[in-house]
Amino acid sequence: MTATTSANHPYSPAYRAGDHVYVSGALSVDVDYQPVPGRDEALDAAVARMSDRLSTAGATLSDVVKLTYFVTDLSLREEANRQFERLFAVPRPARTFLEVSALPYGATVEIDAIAVTTDHS
């Protein structure tokens, strides 16, 4: 098992266990932890952070088998559906979409992921 760590986090942003990679929630914030404004922009920012975390454990979006979206506004579902269709080929990964009352740093979106890959780089 391999964890990718950062001095800024008390947890592993991505953790490899065999062929599985578990990605901690990636928020829709910029590099200064400021919330990204805009609906599509916030969704894309969370996916970009999640993709970066995947790459630290040798995985990519094409390896993702399950995503969980946490949003502060359930009406983001339509934008998230369009994003999902744009990012993933059929068959698409499983997905859970949940509304929460708040997210850290004022973010409006957080996405975590599970990926399966045989690339152990």
Side-chain angles (χ1 to χ4, degrees), residues 26-30 32-39 41-43 45-46 49 70-73 76 100-110:
L27 295 165
S28 59
V29 294
D30 64 20
D32 296 320
Y33 291 91
Q34 296 301 305
V36 171
R39 296 169 66 87
E41 295 83 358
L43 287 160
R49 288 179 72 87
F70 301 92
V71 298
T72 58
D73 181 352
L76 282 168
V100 296
S101 61
L103 290 166
Y105 306 107
T108 56
V109 178
E110 182 173 15

Side-chain angles (χ1 to χ4, degrees), residues 22-118:
Y22 300 88
V23 177
S24 296
L27 295 165
S28 59
V29 294
D30 64 20
V31 295
D32 296 320
Y33 291 91
Q34 296 301 305
V36 171
R39 296 169 66 87
D40 289 324
E41 295 83 358
L43 287 160
D44 288 343
V47 165
R49 288 179 72 87
M50 189 260 305
S51 295
D52 289 345
R53 290 176 175 195
L54 277 168
S55 70
T56 67
T60 67
L61 280 178
S62 64
D63 299 315
V64 171
V65 296
K66 173 72 167 79
L67 291 165
T68 303
Y69 282 64
F70 301 92
V71 298
T72 58
D73 181 352
L74 199 56
S75 73
L76 282 168
R77 189 170 185 271
E78 290 307 314
E79 286 94 335
N81 286 343
R82 286 192 298 272
Q83 178 192 58
F84 211 67
E85 291 172 346
R86 186 178 75 244
L87 293 175
F88 298 102
V90 175
R92 293 184 180 92
R95 183 186 81 179
T96 302
F97 194 85
L98 302 166
E99 184 177 36
V100 296
S101 61
L103 290 166
Y105 306 107
T108 56
V109 178
E110 182 173 15
I111 302 172
D112 70 15
I114 300 171
V116 178
T117 177
T118 56

